[in-house]
Amino acid sequence: MGSTSEFNRRDLVKRAAALGIVAVPSMGVLSACAGGGDSGDNKVEKGKKSAKNPLAVNDSAGLDVVIFDGGFGDKYAKDAQGEYIKSFPKADGKVKLSSTQKIQSTLQPRFNGGNPPDLVDNSGAEQMDFGTLVGKDQLTDLTALLDAPSVDDPDKKVRDTLRPGVVEMGQFGGKETWILYYAYTVYGVWYSKGNLAKLDAEYPETWDDMLALCAKAKKKGVAGWTYPGKYPYYFPFSLYPFIAKIGGEEVLRKIDNLEPNAWKDPAVKAAFEAYYELYKKGYVLKGSPGLDHLQSQKAWAEGKALFIPNGSWVENESAKQIAKNPHFDLAVGAPSSLSTSDKMPYGTIWASGGEPYIVPRKARNAEGGMELLRIMLSKKSSQNFIKQVSSLTSLNGGTEGLKLPPGLASAQAVLQKAGQNIVNPRMQDWYVALQKERIGVGALGEMMAGRMTPDEAIKKIQKYADDTRDDSSVKKYKR
Amino acid sequence: MKHGKYRFIAGFLVLPLAIYAIFVISPFVQAIYYSFTDWTGLSPDMKMVGFDNYARLFKDDVFWSAVGNSVTLLLLLPVVTLSLGIFFAFMLNVGGRRRKKAVIGGVRGSGTYKILYFFPQVLSVPIVALLFQFAYNPESGALNAFFQAIGLGNVQPDWLGDPQIALWCVMAAMVWANVGFYVVLFSAGMSSIPKDFYEAALLDGANRFNTFFRITLPLLWDTVQTGWIYMGILALDVSAFAFVQIMSVGPGGPDYSTEVLPLYVYQKTFRDGQAGYATAIGVSLLIVTLVFSAIVMRLGRRERLEF
């Protein structure tokens, strides 16, 4: 090929190709978020209201449900869907239930385009931000559902069959209830009674006992604690109720309200220092900062560590590994008492709703979505859920006549012991980025890996909280 | 001929250019538009906020650590990957002992090595990332077990859990996943270099070092340059996103030590519901990409050898 002409074929092809590869990939990222239009009002007609159909569901309309397929799977929802079809046989074949782990990337375009599903289990790592959904008026108020009679007892409203606090959790400062939490999760320090018995120990109710037990375990080559270092925001599951126990519930309330210097409270420092001591004395399983949740749960289930901060889904998630040790006997413990001057009694624990269900504002068949929720909150469907995934539901009671697996039985006992002393910090549903990434990965993880002292961690977290308060793009809440 | 030239080319390019305009340029323009709004990504309503998003970028520490990490990847990843690729390709094609009849040849068993090098290429990115994640597992992973086995039991890094080395760990996985492709690419490039050049050089008594730097590398320069741009885009884009998202603590951590621009775009859009701000980050990613390719094209400009 001659190159006397100033025009060079290879040059042109190369430049075009280079431009193409430069522009295309970067645009792929951006164009993925192109917004759609509002496709207007296309709701189905309401059906006839009756005792059997209090929400006036159109019995022949389709229903579109999207379930988060995580620790609990999706079978319980499919079973409830079967019940729905029993009530509305004409809807058979038009009820669509899909499950995914990628809630946000699946649903965001649909919300944006104005054709969301009728019921969504908005959960998991890709949870859509509730603050934004509520703030942008994308959800249906569930008050109609809460005021409808329950499936089991027509004289009782759904509202009155729920566990305390569940309705409030679904509200955002107003009267409307936007979210219904279906599961009921107990957070705390999870352990194996069998593994503790091997050390002649029971769950330590004071922090001194905790340290003594960890020292004893260390001599036998067993670590006291492990945690998912890749997701250090598991620590709050036992750390936040620990803070509340030491300094009282209002410390957590101030933290949730992003009040200035909320994190500088002495109770926070005391709790952080107690946990930091676990690291300093070498009671934390080596390598924990590099483990993800499944890896740390595996190490814990294999008996390499005694305690792990976690929630009640761990029984289902680690079922296979736990089953390998017939004497495991899973249990959950409330935070140990730091001293006798703690403001709240031993037994104070974090329990709150999990698996948040929402009915989008632009759902075609919002009544159907709520009706499915009403069916799920019946005793039959609740028990089905409990049996399948060993977690409680928001339906109060409902466990009568069921043989509970050890972890769930322990959670139930812990709840009973806690009585009124149940705390419910809201950071993780109000300020997801602050809780998970900034406080969790940016400070708690660093502190527990020994790269930051408690004082430094508190200073950093306070700055993160202040930044969030001053960030006008984040919607704020008060409780 | 000279005058009709551009019209002639344009005639051929009408269709591709139209497709390019619809699917590449128009989202591009849209994205720039969205970067001036407060769009959440969760509902179609939004309002213009002017340069607010860009002003916010300047004060955002996480954004700057993402820029820092992305630029680090951009500078190091192509250098490391391409150098290794060229080195391996040279050894496979030219670097071996001289054999009968053949002037040049690869090291013994070079055919097998070629397959081995290319092997990671057939694995999908998530699988490579997961494999490395297992190896990096500080509690039961292969790397720490290896240290234990050779008597370095007290050297047990946290790998991905340590902000000092996490980014390097991710980078190592990316190099491993990509180097095979360049071995093959450069092998192809080397096989098109006329054998008589080598013959002449060898007659003059050149050693491997000289043959490489005086013949192979200069004649391979076009391929290197293309590979460089391609690798740079990879470092800024899909590959970096996938590896960091799957492997790193957080992801993006610990302490933002592995945060990269595409991941930050994703987090802002899909976790925080701030799509407007995310598009502003995306636009800055585009600027970084353009600056990079402009610099590479300029630095790489050389007199072209024809053969």
Side-chain angles (χ1 to χ4, degrees), chain A residues 171-246:
Chain A
Q171 296 174 333
F172 281 80
K175 270 187 291 184
E176 301 91 342
T177 307
W178 305 111
I179 306 161
L180 194 98
Y181 287 87
Y182 185 59
Y184 196 71
T185 305
V186 176
Y187 302 93
V189 185
W190 292 77
Y191 63 98
S192 147
K193 280 188 192 158
N195 288 347
L196 288 199
K198 274 189 214 157
L199 294 163
D200 294 318
E202 284 195 354
Y203 183 74
E205 296 197 0
T206 69
W207 196 253
D208 289 340
D209 288 353
M210 171 63 84
L211 293 175
L213 176 55
C214 288
K216 197 170 171 186
K218 193 182 177 187
K219 276 190 201 129
K220 300 216 165 163
V222 175
W225 287 59
T226 185
Y227 66 98
K230 285 188 78 178
Y231 312 109
Y233 45 82
Y234 273 57
F235 260 114
F237 298 155
S238 62
L239 185 62
Y240 285 0
F242 192 36
I243 292 172
K245 186 177 171 352
I246 298 168

Side-chain angles (χ1 to χ4, degrees), chain B residues 180-250:
Chain B
F181 175 76
Y182 292 98
V183 173
V184 173
L185 182 73
F186 291 138
S187 292
M190 282 176 196
S191 62
S192 73
I193 298 172
K195 298 258 186 299
D196 21 338
F197 287 18
Y198 288 105
E199 213 162 20
L202 290 170
L203 281 175
D204 287 347
N207 55 18
R208 276 184 217 173
F209 184 84
N210 279 331
T211 18
F212 178 76
F213 281 101
R214 299 285 163 92
I215 299 179
T216 313
L217 193 57
L219 291 178
L220 211 57
W221 194 249
D222 274 2
T223 324
V224 172
Q225 211 185 336
T226 313
W228 193 284
I229 290 184
Y230 189 64
M231 204 58 218
I233 303 293
L234 219 66
L236 278 180
D237 209 69
V238 208
S239 190
F241 169 76
F243 276 101
V244 171
Q245 160 88 350
I246 295 169
M247 290 175 71
S248 72
V249 168

Side-chain angles (χ1 to χ4, degrees), chain B residues 150-186:
Chain B
I150 58 167
L152 288 168
N154 49 352
V155 186
Q156 299 278 298
D158 281 336
W159 302 111
L160 295 164
D162 187 337
Q164 303 289 328
I165 53 174
L167 190 64
W168 307 109
C169 294
V170 175
M171 211 186 288
M174 293 173 76
V175 169
W176 189 82
N178 285 306
V179 83
F181 175 76
Y182 292 98
V183 173
V184 173
L185 182 73
F186 291 138

Side-chain angles (χ1 to χ4, degrees), chain A residues 152 370 479:
Chain A
D152 299 311
M370 287 198 263
R479 72 175 174 116

Side-chain angles (χ1 to χ4, degrees), chain A residues 229-338:
Chain A
K230 285 188 78 178
Y231 312 109
Y233 45 82
Y234 273 57
F235 260 114
F237 298 155
S238 62
L239 185 62
Y240 285 0
F242 192 36
I243 292 172
K245 186 177 171 352
I246 298 168
E249 182 21 13
E250 65 272 14
V251 184
L252 289 186
R253 198 174 43 78
K254 282 184 195 156
I255 286 175
D256 282 349
N257 291 343
L258 301 176
E259 281 180 27
N261 294 326
W263 287 91
K264 301 257 169 85
D265 194 284
V268 176
K269 191 171 151 81
F272 274 37
E273 271 170 356
Y275 271 53
Y276 188 60
E277 199 173 354
L278 292 175
Y279 160 77
K280 267 208 316 214
K281 294 204 163 145
Y283 298 156
V284 179
L285 180 69
K286 245 187 150 172
S288 292
L291 303 181
D292 69 15
H293 60 304
L294 296 175
Q295 291 164 340
S296 66
Q297 281 164 207
K298 181 166 176 278
W300 162 80
E302 284 169 352
K304 290 183 186 160
L306 297 178
F307 303 108
I308 191 167
N310 222 311
S312 32
W313 62 82
V314 70
E315 184 159 39
N316 199 38
E317 206 166 45
S318 297
K320 272 191 201 148
Q321 283 138 8
I322 289 175
K324 282 184 192 150
N325 177 357
H327 306 295
F328 195 81
D329 206 3
L330 177 68
V332 57
S336 314
S337 299
L338 188 62

